Amino acid sequence: MPIIINLDKILEERGMKSNELAEKIGITTANLSILKTGKAKAVRFSTLESICEALDCQPGDILEYTKN
């Protein structure tokens, strides 16, 4: 898939664990894991907004497009 999810990188930079982020944004750790591993088929803008707010980042910090 040409969309790369850099959520692990941002979490590490912020010193935050996945379960802490999941709790802050109100989603299950299982759903966050699906997003982190790139297995998600879609992401709601409201979820993306919550992630950006919690991590003080921009959507482009999390999502990256790459050509195969």
Side-chain angles (χ1 to χ4, degrees), residues 1-5 64-68:
M1 177 182 238
I3 302 293
I4 307 297
I5 308 295
E64 178 182 344
Y65 173 75
T66 178
K67 291 185 180 180
N68 290 345

Side-chain angles (χ1 to χ4, degrees), residues 5-23:
I5 308 295
N6 293 316
L7 197 49
D8 279 335
K9 178 180 151 188
I10 302 297
L11 282 168
E12 186 176 325
E13 289 174 2
R14 302 300 192 269
M16 188 182 294
K17 301 286 185 192
S18 294
N19 58 347
E20 184 182 348
L21 177 61
E23 187 177 314

